[in-house]
Amino acid sequence: MILITDELRARLLANGAADTETDHVPVAKLFDPTGAATWLLTELDADGDTLFGLCDLGFGFPELGSVSLAELESVKGRLGLGIERDLYFEARFALSVYAEAARIAGHITEAERLLRQAAEALSIQHSELPPDAAGPARR
Protein backbone atom coordinates (compact mmCIF):
# COMPACT_ATOMS: atom_id res chain seq x y z
CA MET A 1 0.00 0.00 0.00
CA ILE A 2 1.16 3.52 -0.76
CA LEU A 3 1.23 5.21 2.63
CA ILE A 4 1.31 8.79 1.36
CA THR A 5 -0.35 9.49 -2.00
CA ASP A 6 0.67 12.49 -4.12
CA GLU A 7 -2.42 14.38 -2.95
CA LEU A 8 -1.67 13.68 0.72
CA ARG A 9 2.01 14.54 0.18
CA ALA A 10 1.05 17.93 -1.27
CA ARG A 11 -1.22 18.71 1.70
CA LEU A 12 1.38 17.54 4.24
CA LEU A 13 4.13 19.57 2.55
CA ALA A 14 1.93 22.68 2.47
CA ASN A 15 1.27 22.32 6.20
CA GLY A 16 4.98 21.77 6.87
CA ALA A 17 5.94 24.85 4.86
CA ALA A 18 3.52 27.15 6.70
CA ASP A 19 5.28 30.27 8.00
CA THR A 20 3.27 30.38 11.20
CA GLU A 21 2.77 27.67 13.77
CA THR A 22 -0.68 26.27 13.11
CA ASP A 23 -2.78 23.63 14.81
CA HIS A 24 -3.42 21.65 11.63
CA VAL A 25 -6.14 19.08 11.12
CA PRO A 26 -4.60 15.62 10.60
CA VAL A 27 -4.16 14.76 6.93
CA ALA A 28 -3.54 11.02 7.23
CA LYS A 29 -3.91 8.20 9.72
CA LEU A 30 -1.46 5.29 9.56
CA PHE A 31 -1.66 2.16 11.68
CA ASP A 32 -0.13 -1.24 12.32
CA PRO A 33 -2.79 -3.79 11.31
CA THR A 34 -1.38 -6.38 13.73
CA GLY A 35 -0.56 -4.09 16.64
CA ALA A 36 -1.57 -1.00 18.54
CA ALA A 37 0.63 1.62 16.83
CA THR A 38 -1.15 4.56 15.20
CA TRP A 39 0.00 7.86 13.70
CA LEU A 40 -2.10 10.96 12.93
CA LEU A 41 0.02 13.05 10.59
CA THR A 42 -0.27 16.76 9.88
CA GLU A 43 3.00 17.85 8.27
CA LEU A 44 5.85 16.73 6.04
CA ASP A 45 9.22 18.50 6.03
CA ALA A 46 10.83 19.65 2.79
CA ASP A 47 13.19 16.64 3.04
CA GLY A 48 10.21 14.50 1.97
CA ASP A 49 10.80 12.04 4.81
CA THR A 50 10.18 13.68 8.18
CA LEU A 51 6.51 13.59 9.17
CA PHE A 52 5.03 15.35 12.19
CA GLY A 53 1.95 14.38 14.13
CA LEU A 54 0.51 12.47 17.04
CA CYS A 55 2.38 9.18 17.46
CA ASP A 56 1.09 6.27 19.53
CA LEU A 57 3.21 3.14 19.70
CA GLY A 58 0.67 1.38 21.89
CA PHE A 59 2.41 1.76 25.26
CA GLY A 60 -0.15 4.16 26.75
CA PHE A 61 1.83 7.34 26.14
CA PRO A 62 0.87 8.97 22.81
CA GLU A 63 2.99 12.02 22.02
CA LEU A 64 3.47 14.73 19.45
CA GLY A 65 6.63 14.17 17.47
CA SER A 66 8.35 13.30 14.24
CA VAL A 67 8.64 10.01 12.42
CA SER A 68 10.48 8.92 9.28
CA LEU A 69 8.29 7.97 6.32
CA ALA A 70 11.06 5.66 5.06
CA GLU A 71 11.11 3.85 8.41
CA LEU A 72 7.33 3.45 8.43
CA GLU A 73 7.44 2.07 4.89
CA SER A 74 10.12 -0.46 5.90
CA VAL A 75 8.27 -1.86 8.93
CA LYS A 76 7.24 -5.49 8.66
CA GLY A 77 5.21 -6.54 11.66
CA ARG A 78 3.68 -9.81 12.64
CA LEU A 79 2.64 -11.96 9.70
CA GLY A 80 4.93 -9.84 7.51
CA LEU A 81 2.35 -7.07 7.26
CA GLY A 82 3.47 -3.47 6.93
CA ILE A 83 2.02 -0.20 8.15
CA GLU A 84 -1.24 0.78 6.40
CA ARG A 85 -3.20 3.97 5.80
CA ASP A 86 -6.76 4.25 7.05
CA LEU A 87 -8.57 4.90 3.78
CA TYR A 88 -11.72 6.05 5.56
CA PHE A 89 -10.19 8.43 8.11
CA GLU A 90 -11.61 11.95 8.01
CA ALA A 91 -10.30 14.31 10.65
CA ARG A 92 -12.95 16.42 12.34
CA PHE A 93 -10.78 18.31 14.80
CA ALA A 94 -7.37 19.98 15.00
CA LEU A 95 -4.38 17.90 16.11
CA SER A 96 -4.39 19.45 19.60
CA VAL A 97 -7.87 18.02 20.19
CA TYR A 98 -6.76 14.51 19.16
CA ALA A 99 -3.69 14.90 21.40
CA GLU A 100 -5.79 15.94 24.40
CA ALA A 101 -8.25 13.09 23.83
CA ALA A 102 -5.32 10.67 23.53
CA ARG A 103 -3.89 12.00 26.80
CA ILE A 104 -7.21 11.30 28.51
CA ALA A 105 -7.72 7.87 26.90
CA GLY A 106 -4.09 6.70 26.92
CA HIS A 107 -4.23 6.04 23.18
CA ILE A 108 -5.29 7.75 19.96
CA THR A 109 -9.06 7.68 19.77
CA GLU A 110 -11.79 8.71 17.38
CA ALA A 111 -14.51 8.43 20.02
CA GLU A 112 -16.79 11.39 19.41
CA ARG A 113 -17.54 11.93 23.10
CA LEU A 114 -13.86 12.08 24.06
CA LEU A 115 -12.98 14.34 21.14
CA ARG A 116 -15.77 16.78 22.00
CA GLN A 117 -14.74 16.68 25.67
CA ALA A 118 -11.13 17.44 24.69
CA ALA A 119 -12.18 20.26 22.35
CA GLU A 120 -14.27 21.80 25.10
CA ALA A 121 -11.46 21.48 27.65
CA LEU A 122 -9.00 23.13 25.26
CA SER A 123 -11.34 26.01 24.44
CA ILE A 124 -11.91 26.66 28.16
CA GLN A 125 -8.19 26.51 28.88
CA HIS A 126 -7.35 28.87 26.02
CA SER A 127 -10.12 31.35 26.82
CA GLU A 128 -8.93 31.64 30.43
CA LEU A 129 -5.33 32.42 29.49
CA PRO A 130 -4.26 36.02 29.93
CA PRO A 131 -3.10 37.85 26.77
CA ASP A 132 0.54 37.11 27.68
CA ALA A 133 0.30 33.41 28.51
CA ALA A 134 3.97 33.22 29.47
CA GLY A 135 3.42 35.48 32.48
CA PRO A 136 6.23 37.05 34.46
CA ALA A 137 9.55 35.26 34.55
CA ARG A 138 10.18 33.29 37.75
CA ARG A 139 13.48 33.35 39.52
Side-chain angles (χ1 to χ4, degrees), residues 6 74 83 99 105:
D6 290 342
S74 71
I83 303 302

Short mmCIF file of all heavy atoms in Angstrom, two decimals, residues 6 74 83 99 105:
data_model
loop_
_atom_site.label_atom_id
_atom_site.label_comp_id
_atom_site.label_asym_id
_atom_site.label_seq_id
_atom_site.Cartn_x
_atom_site.Cartn_y
_atom_site.Cartn_z
N ASP A 6 0.22 11.17 -3.67
CA ASP A 6 0.67 12.49 -4.12
C ASP A 6 -0.20 13.60 -3.56
O ASP A 6 0.30 14.66 -3.17
CB ASP A 6 0.68 12.55 -5.66
CG ASP A 6 1.78 11.69 -6.26
OD1 ASP A 6 2.72 11.32 -5.54
OD2 ASP A 6 1.68 11.37 -7.47
N SER A 74 9.28 0.75 5.80
CA SER A 74 10.12 -0.46 5.90
C SER A 74 9.65 -1.43 6.98
O SER A 74 10.12 -2.56 7.04
CB SER A 74 11.57 -0.07 6.16
OG SER A 74 11.72 0.43 7.48
N ILE A 83 2.89 -1.28 7.69
CA ILE A 83 2.02 -0.20 8.15
C ILE A 83 1.02 0.11 7.03
O ILE A 83 1.36 0.03 5.85
CB ILE A 83 2.85 1.04 8.49
CG1 ILE A 83 3.89 0.72 9.56
CG2 ILE A 83 1.95 2.21 8.92
CD1 ILE A 83 3.33 0.17 10.86
N ALA A 99 -4.74 15.12 20.40
CA ALA A 99 -3.69 14.90 21.40
C ALA A 99 -4.26 14.93 22.81
O ALA A 99 -3.90 14.10 23.65
CB ALA A 99 -2.60 15.96 21.24
N ALA A 105 -7.44 9.29 27.15
CA ALA A 105 -7.72 7.87 26.90
C ALA A 105 -6.50 6.96 27.04
O ALA A 105 -6.64 5.76 27.23
CB ALA A 105 -8.32 7.69 25.51
#
